[in-house]
Amino acid sequence: AKARGRNGFQFYAPSMTGEGVERLRLETMLRRSIEKDEIFLNYQPQVEVDSGRLIGVEALVRWDNPELGLVAPVRFIPLAEDTGFINQLGKWVLYESCRQMIRWQDAGLYVPKIAVNLSVKQFERGSIVCMVAEILKETGLEPHRLQLEVTESVIMNTGDALVFINDLHAIGVGLAIDDFGTGYSSLAYLKQLPVQTLKIDRSFIKDISTDSNDEAIAIAIIQLGKSLNLSVIAEGVETEDQAAFLLRHGCNQAQGYLYSRPELASVILERWR
Ligand code: C2E
Ligand code: CA
Ligand code: CA
Ligand code: CA
């Protein structure tokens, strides 16, 4: 880390080099993670708040390395984005997600839809639409059962995002705006996009019963969804109070530890079949 000298200046401590080496090591390990079978998915249920019915799952990638242990996505996704590995990883995640939907179905569990996170870097490559179409065809998953999650910054900062998003819509896949309210998407833009779902960010849900600003923002997002005819789902729901708040304000879709942590496919099957 950067150390502070007596005079308050930052200087490069020997550990700075260590950090670079560490990053390189992580990069190298990450690059081999797929072939070494260290990458897998967890699935977090999305439920209808009033009935508790399963309406979908979100696929969340995991990296379990023998040396490093379980590495958090917040640590390796940015690295994967910087190195370009995200394209390979993203493709793996998408394929595995679609295939898992069919496996569950064959085992007697119908999961209505699966949400898969897309990184901004995956849009920069341009081939995203072909890749999605190919994976759907190969796995046999109906397009409307796949929902891609992108953040506001993906939409606002990617030159051709609008084109890709319209193309994805044309092949029938759904689109959700993730972490909604934390970025700065223009509302006019939102109206033009073939988006079906807004996902209220966890940060607004967290203190919903104690922070009046968060409460106001959550209500505003729910109302916005209603006016634009979009479905709204809340993420990070941990308490009954939060769930009750959502219901009271007309949001009947949620995801969070209150219902389930992200789990292995086998656990989802066991619990929800
Ligand atoms: P996200 O898309 O906003 O995913 C939700 C995160 O919140 C997940 O963290 C999930 O485990 C966590 N979470 C769910 N319910 C609760 C709750 O009730 N309370 C709390 N405190 N947390 C909850 P996770 O799995 O560590 O993923 C972190 C981020 O990494 C994701 O945020 C997403 O941006 C990214 N990510 C995960 N998987 C993928 C992937 O396959 N591709 C890409 N591009 N990004 C991914
Ligand atoms: Ca997400
Ligand atoms: Ca989110
Ligand atoms: Ca989030």
Side-chain angles (χ1 to χ4, degrees):
K2 269 183 195 156
R4 236 168 234 285
R6 255 190 218 166
N7 53 12
F9 282 104
Q10 292 187 336
F11 62 89
Y12 285 79
S15 64
M16 201 58 186
T17 339
E19 216 171 71
V21 171
E22 181 58 33
R23 194 189 142 92
L24 203 66
R25 204 171 72 104
L26 210 65
E27 233 181 83
T28 310
M29 288 167 134
L30 183 60
R31 214 181 289 284
R32 298 187 188 137
S33 60
I34 293 180
E35 63 205 60
K36 290 198 165 168
D37 240 352
E38 296 169 2
I39 298 287
F40 64 100
L41 295 180
N42 271 350
Y43 303 89
Q44 187 175 37
Q46 301 180 327
V47 304
E48 199 171 70
V49 178
D50 56 6
S51 67
R53 197 172 60 92
L54 181 71
I55 52 176
V57 295
E58 178 178 5
L60 294 160
V61 70
R62 298 290 179 259
W63 178 25
D64 194 3
N65 178 272
E67 266 176 73
L68 305 166
L70 203 58
V71 188
V74 291
R75 258 186 89 200
F76 70 85
I77 295 284
L79 193 61
E81 287 177 342
D82 287 352
T83 58
F85 180 67
I86 192 72
N87 289 301
Q88 210 185 324
L89 183 65
K91 187 173 179 181
W92 187 93
V93 167
L94 202 59
Y95 189 84
E96 183 62 20
S97 297
C98 295
R99 225 170 39 156
Q100 186 54 53
M101 289 288 274
I102 304 298
R103 283 195 213 110
W104 277 324
Q105 205 164 325
D106 291 345
L109 173 69
Y110 183 83
V111 177
K113 71 161 197 263
I114 189 157
V116 177
N117 293 285
L118 282 189
S119 150
V120 63
K121 301 286 172 187
Q122 291 178 269
F123 281 93
E124 284 168 6
R125 272 252 304 224
S127 57
I128 182 111
V129 184
C130 284
M131 182 186 80
V132 171
E134 212 168 278
I135 288 175
L136 287 170
K137 196 173 145 210
E138 224 171 282
T139 57
L141 183 70
E142 300 94 319
H144 72 270
R145 294 174 64 198
L146 175 65
Q147 181 166 64
L148 301 172
E149 291 195 358
V150 297
T151 59
E152 291 166 78
S153 63
V154 169
I155 295 163
M156 301 308 289
N157 303 334
T158 315
D160 291 333
L162 201 58
V163 175
F164 296 139
I165 285 167
N166 278 312
D167 288 351
L168 286 169
H169 178 67
I171 63 172
V173 304
L175 196 77
I177 302 189
D178 205 357
D179 304 343
F180 190 76
T182 60
Y184 38 82
S185 49
S186 108
L187 298 182
Y189 223 76
L190 194 60
K191 206 179 68 176
Q192 294 172 23
L193 279 178
V195 169
Q196 290 78 43
T197 304
L198 303 180
K199 222 169 166 183
I200 308 176
D201 190 62
R202 178 167 86 233
S203 60
F204 303 122
I205 303 300
K206 200 168 150 270
D207 301 316
I208 220 166
S209 32
T210 50
D211 185 322
S212 59
N213 288 325
D214 287 348
E215 189 178 304
I217 291 170
I219 293 172
I221 296 175
I222 296 167
Q223 288 306 326
L224 179 68
K226 282 227 171 83
S227 328
L228 295 177
N229 219 350
L230 305 173
S231 68
V232 176
I233 181 166
E235 71 175 9
V237 177
E238 296 184 353
T239 68
E240 292 288 356
D241 278 356
Q242 292 165 344
F245 175 94
L246 291 168
L247 262 190
R248 215 162 46 240
H249 291 95
C251 176
N252 195 21
Q253 297 185 23
Q255 180 183 343
Y257 296 168
L258 176 63
Y259 308 101
S260 171
R261 296 204 168 233
E263 303 284 2
L264 288 173
S266 56
V267 176
I268 298 287
L269 178 65
E270 205 176 291
R271 295 228 182 115
W272 296 86
R273 184 163 53 177

